[in-house]
Structure formats: C-alpha cells, structure tokens
Amino acid sequence: MPYVVDRTTRKTLSDGTVKEYRFVYFERNGSRVKLPFPEDDEDEFLAAYRAAKTGIDVKKKIIPKYTYAELIKHYKLFSVTPAGSKRKKGWADLKPRTRKDYDECFGYMDRNLGANDFRRTIRTDIKKAMKANLHRKKFANNLKQVWSILHEHAIDEGWRSTNAASGIAKFKTGEGHVPWPPEIQMQFWNKAGELGELGYHVRLAMILYIDSAQRGGDILDFKWSDIKDDGINIEQNKTGTSVFIPLTDWLRDALDVERRRQLSLKLIPLPPHDYILQGPRGGKLSYNTLNGRFVKVRKAARIDEKYKLHGYRYTGASELGVAVGRSGASVTGHLTPEMFDKYAGDGMRRAQAIKAQAARNENRTGREPLKPTLKP
C-alpha cells in the first residue's frame, strides 16, 4: 500500500541476546505515523491507514465502530422505522430512488471522512463539506440531510448526544421548476412534430407527463398491464402511494396509437416487462435517454432552459388545480395540501379566488348598492 513501511530492527541486549523489533508505519513527506499490525486486526489497521492518509492524528485512538465508515454500515443494517412514523424510515423501508440519493452521499462521506470519528464532528465540519459542493447545491443539501439522519441514528445508539446537522440552513437552489405555459407547450409540440421518430417519442412522453402528473421515474415504469378500468394503476416509487390515474381523452388516444404501433412492430413483451415507453433496443427506457431526447427538441425549438422535463408534472398539477382545486392531489399522489399547492401554483389560486368571489355574489341578499352623490 502507498506510504506504508514495514520494518524490522534488531537490538543486542546486555545479556548478549538479540531481540527483533517490528514497526509498521505510514511515512510521507518526512513524517511518520505508527500503525497497528495488519495481521492482528485488519479493520483497525485499515482505519488507522485511512486516518493517516487523510491527515488525522491517530494518537486520538479512533475506535473502528466510531468511524463514519462503520456508522454507515451500522445504519444500513440496524436502522428501523418507528411505529406509526410517516417521515422517519429505516434503510430497509426506503424506496429505491431514496436509497440511491443516500448512497451517493454515503460514498462521498466514505471517501472523504471514512476514518473520521463521527463523535467529534461539529456543525462547522458539515457546513464546510456543504460549501465544498456549492457547485451542486442539490447534492450539498442532500448531504446535510443524510448527515442529520446518521447523527440521529448515532443518538439512538447512545454514541452521540447532539445532532450537529440540526439547524443548518440548506442552500437555495433557485426558482425551481415551473409549469409550461400553453404557448410554450405548443411551440415545443410543433417542433417535435418536425423531428420524425425522435419527435414522436418525445410527444408521447409529454402527454404521459402532463395528463398523469407523475414523476419521471414513475412514468418510465408505466406498463400496459397497469391499465385497468380505463385508468393507470401505479404505486409511486418515491412515496409508495397507490394512485389510480383515470385516462383523459388526449392520453387514451395517445396510448391507442402507441399500442397499435408496438403491436405492428411486435414490440410488446409479456408482463412484467411490458413498458409503455421503450428504449431504443426494447425494454425499459432510461431517464437519461428520455431527457436527452427532450433537450434536443427544446434546443431545436429555441425554448428557455428554465422549462425542464419535470416541469411537465407541474403543468399537469396546475391544470388539475385550476379544474378541481386541491382534490387534484388524488391524481398527482401528493400527500400534503402544501405540496400540491406548490405544484399547482398560481393558476389554482387564481381559479379558486374567482370561484370564491362568484359564490359570495350568489349568496348575498339585501345588500344596498353604493349610490352616487352630487356633494363634493
């Protein structure tokens, strides 16, 4: 291993006997740090090696179970979901998408802090790591969240008394996603129509996004076998919420066209692999491929980059909000009114305000109108 020196020296004692002394140490730039023998305890040796390599004073005697590497392992093995909890979940109960986000943060921690003693972490350490990832604010915010989860797990196990990530403000990530105005939708739709097969697939995805108002990962999981009772039946990947999405006329017609196309080309496989959106070689379409197609059409249509693929979910939620108010969450699957309001946006609030004032007009009786006067 780089910088590791394994050396044996001999010393003659006063009685003439020769005794051997063995040393294993980390040596770099003229400085040495003594390491434990690897054959005695491999985990302790590796922890001490990583500590020395990252410049940590191993004289503090970091116990392997108190390193971040060990804490992450322990969290994955032993964290549990408290009874009745809807927010705090153990590793085994997390959705695949959430696990992927956590693992990205765990990988960063293991590479940069794996040998660090998590009991000594203070708020400044976390803020420093977040600032180091300022160029990717969403990841920096996820890092803060995962750090908090690990510290809460350490508190539950009696290894820490405080959560150093608590109270740290997240970075503002901009204005976020916005719904697509009708004129921008039409501009995109028309340009896609000029781009042949590429445009056809993007148009189909656009219809699925807007009229289902679901997340991209869920749309890519839509299967022909999910369509029953004139609707699409799914369980959302992120929340686990079961949602029934009644087909609109626009969506029903688009699915009929795509089904006939796939049947004519003999592309529809048997369940559970009968995905509606298929990749270039069959099978499930990847999000990167879908987004790549979408970006090509958007660039060709010269549409502002603020209009993103996920913005179509906002578009669908906004249309639902204008049509039926918060009951549109029964289609989007949002678990709280606040989250649905965020997606439905100003359009829903404007429609509700108009409806509310109209109701006041209908219910009012006996109100005398204001009369003009000639007096100044």
Side-chain angles (χ1 to χ4, degrees), residues 219-227 232 271-276:
I219 289 169
L220 293 170
D221 281 343
F222 283 175
K223 300 174 183 176
W224 294 111
S225 53
D226 293 332
I227 302 176
I232 304 175
H273 305 293
D274 54 330
Y275 296 104
I276 294 174

Side-chain angles (χ1 to χ4, degrees), residues 256-268:
D256 286 343
V257 170
E258 177 62 7
R259 184 187 288 274
R260 289 197 300 271
R261 188 189 75 87
Q262 291 189 17
L263 285 171
S264 68
L265 298 174
K266 299 181 180 180
L267 293 175
I268 300 182

Side-chain angles (χ1 to χ4, degrees), residues 204-224:
L204 174 61
M206 176 181 176
I207 296 171
L208 287 169
Y209 254 101
I210 293 176
D211 277 22
S212 74
Q214 299 302 307
R215 299 176 184 87
D218 295 319
I219 289 169
L220 293 170
D221 281 343
F222 283 175
K223 300 174 183 176
W224 294 111

